[in-house]
């Protein structure tokens, strides 16, 4: 079995498997050159040959244990009928949201056929020991972009919508349905594990966390598990105090952590429940040198039910040499 999948199944492995969030992207010259030729990020996501190529770029260079499909969590709102553009230097910009007029979940999932084709093409070319991760955004995080219309938004406004707007629960329910179908199709096409990104889970009150993070994630996990048999990694970023509850209540097979959570705490409290993933500070990967090496050793010390990753995505300004050094340390 592929080392990444061994660890996800809960068995300890001698080698610590690793991959990095945003491992395909702007820090790689080969990505920047494809991006310059293609022009548009959405075209790159929705052209299977390009998505395949970009997914494989970091694997060829660094040999991670898992490839993550090149796509974006905001493809789903677009497939549901909300306009989406990625503007240079601005990030995502979404059109007006009318929950009542969103497309049926099944139509949205069908509209993402180019993503499934990319999954098939990646699987066909991936080295034998490398696993393929499919993914989606969690309903709360995706809804927050759909409501705010852009990134870098004010969460007070989104949370007030969640409290006051009677269409908000319907939006979350729609996202649960569509996300489950989308993930199931990725598995049918060849994804061997799934990660659900809840980047903005950390801004919620305890009560909101139950309602908008735990409940929808549990519903997605139940639906995906009823139809497929692959491990699911939950990543409720910034919500470590709720980690044990999240693991138990959602039924995820593993959990990812951001850099604010000490790996010693994670190893002690969460790893007995589910294998854990994380959590080197992406800024340490930019800094490099002794600071990075110390940070990486602090994580690697907890080998066992551990997948090495960053606490959040690799940033564009990250030096390739530092990534090489880190991969060397993990493999040592
Ligand atoms: O390598 C990988 O991790 C796989 C591909 C991937 C992307 N986005 C590609 C991408 C994944 C898993 C995501 C997830 C994603 N997308 C999240 C959740 C994780 C996180 O980072 O918090 C979120 C919130 C998004 C939404 C999104 N996409 C934003 C806010 C932005 C703009 C910010 C930025 O980094 O430019 C994107 C654009 C995006 N998604 C890029 C990439 C490679 C950059 C596009 C470019 O300009 O070339």
């Amino acid at each position: 079995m592929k080392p990444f999948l061994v660890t996800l199944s809960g068995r300890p492995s001698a080698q610590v498997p690793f991959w990095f969030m945003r491992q395909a992207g702007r820090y790689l010259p080969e990505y920047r050159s494809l991006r310059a030729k293609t022009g548009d990020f959405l075209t790159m996501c929705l052209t299977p040959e390009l998505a395949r190529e970009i997914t494989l770029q970091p694997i060829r260079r660094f040999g991670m244990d898992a490839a993550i499909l090149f796509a974006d969590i905001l493809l789903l709102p677009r497939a549901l009928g909300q306009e989406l553009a990625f503007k240079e230097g601005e990030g995502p910009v979404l059109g007006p949201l009318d929950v009542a007029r969103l497309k049926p979940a099944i139509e949205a999932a069908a509209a993402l056929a180019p993503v499934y084709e990319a999954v098939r093409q990646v699987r066909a070319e991936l080295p034998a020991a490398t696993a393929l991760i499919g993914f989606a955004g969690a309903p709360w995080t995706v809804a927050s972009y759909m409501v705010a219309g852009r990134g870098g938004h004010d969460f007070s406004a989104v949370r007030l919508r969640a409290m006051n707007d009677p269409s908000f629960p319907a939006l979350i329910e729609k996202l649960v349905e569509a996300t489950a179908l989308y993930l199931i199709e990725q598995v049918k096409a060849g994804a061997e594990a799934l990660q659900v990104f809840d980047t903005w889970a950390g801004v919620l009150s305890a009560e909101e966390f139950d309602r908008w993070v735990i409940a929808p994630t549990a519903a997605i996990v139940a639906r995906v598990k009823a139809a497929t048999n692959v491990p699911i990694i939950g990543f409720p970023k910034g919500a470590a105090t709720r980690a044990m509850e999240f693991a138990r209540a959602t039924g995820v097979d593993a959990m990812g952590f951001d850099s604010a959570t000490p790996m010693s705490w994670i190893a002690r409290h969460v790893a007995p429940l589910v294998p854990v993933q994380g959590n080197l500070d992406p800024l340490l990967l930019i800094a490099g040198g002794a600071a990075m090496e110390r940070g990486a050793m602090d994580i690697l010390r907890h080998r066992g039910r551990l997948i090495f990753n960053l606490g959040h995505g690799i940033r564009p300004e990250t030096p390739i040499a530092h990534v090489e050094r880190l991969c060397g340390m993990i493999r040592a």
Side-chain angles (χ1 to χ4, degrees), residues 136-152:
W140 161 251
T141 288
V142 174
S144 78
Y145 285 97
M146 293 177 81
V147 167
R150 51 178 54 248

Side-chain angles (χ1 to χ4, degrees), residues 19-26 31 35 41 44 68-74 86 88 91-92 135 141 145 151 197 199-200 235 237 312-313:
W19 66 282
F20 304 134
M21 289 186 277
R22 287 281 173 95
Q23 65 191 20
R26 286 163 294 185
Y31 173 88
R35 175 91 159 85
F41 174 68
M44 288 163 73
I68 180 156
L69 170 70
F70 182 76
D72 196 85
I73 66 165
L74 299 178
F86 282 88
E88 202 63 60
F135 73 92
T141 288
Y145 285 97
F197 288 86
T199 306
W200 304 115
F235 180 46
K237 187 170 176 288
H312 200 188

Side-chain angles (χ1 to χ4, degrees), residues 160-216:
L160 279 168
R161 263 296 265 283
M163 290 171 192
N164 292 331
D165 183 341
S167 77
F168 194 82
L171 173 59
I172 294 290
E173 180 48 36
K174 170 77 77 173
L175 287 170
V176 164
E177 259 180 73
T179 304
L181 294 173
Y182 179 45
L183 291 172
I184 290 165
E185 289 304 318
Q186 291 181 43
V187 174
K188 284 191 190 155
E192 299 167 281
L194 298 168
Q195 177 154 316
V196 179
F197 288 86
D198 220 341
T199 306
W200 304 115
V203 305
L204 298 176
S205 72
E207 188 195 342
E208 290 170 321
F209 189 84
D210 290 338
R211 186 158 185 210
W212 305 129
V213 173
I214 291 192

